[in-house]
Amino acid sequence: GRRVAFTGDLGFKEPSDILHRAWGDAGKARAVVSVIKEKLLPWNPEIVFTGHDSHPNGMEFITDLVRRSEDSLAKAAGTER
């Protein structure tokens, strides 16, 4: 009865983020962040399994991953959020 998401190697704990996982390709990273925000966050997963870990605080993990990723994308673009 719990919402569980399996994301594979989508994200790891800090300092990794989507831009890092996309090998520095900002366009790909933005697309992934967009899908996470549009599809995964509204689903409100309670538990998230990544490729090498589990996160029993699923929404907290995904929200933090998006924040870190957006910060990295802003820095890569030369702007601060």
Side-chain angles (χ1 to χ4, degrees):
R2 299 179 87 186
R3 283 179 302 282
V4 177
F6 294 87
T7 65
D9 285 345
L10 178 69
F12 294 98
K13 293 180 181 176
E14 210 170 337
S16 182
D17 59 36
I18 300 301
L19 183 58
H20 174 255
R21 299 304 305 153
W23 296 276
D25 185 322
K28 287 181 183 178
R30 279 189 201 90
V32 172
V33 169
S34 178
V35 169
I36 291 169
K37 290 170 75 172
E38 293 172 12
K39 304 284 184 181
L40 187 56
L41 283 175
W43 191 60
N44 194 25
E46 297 171 63
I47 302 169
V48 174
F49 288 92
T50 57
H52 303 277
D53 208 353
S54 63
H55 305 275
N57 54 349
M59 279 299 290
E60 183 180 320
F61 170 73
I62 294 295
T63 301
D64 182 58
L65 177 63
V66 167
R67 180 196 53 77
R68 286 185 279 124
S69 299
E70 288 178 334
D71 288 349
S72 290
L73 285 164
K75 287 176 187 171
T79 61
E80 294 295 320
R81 286 185 346 113

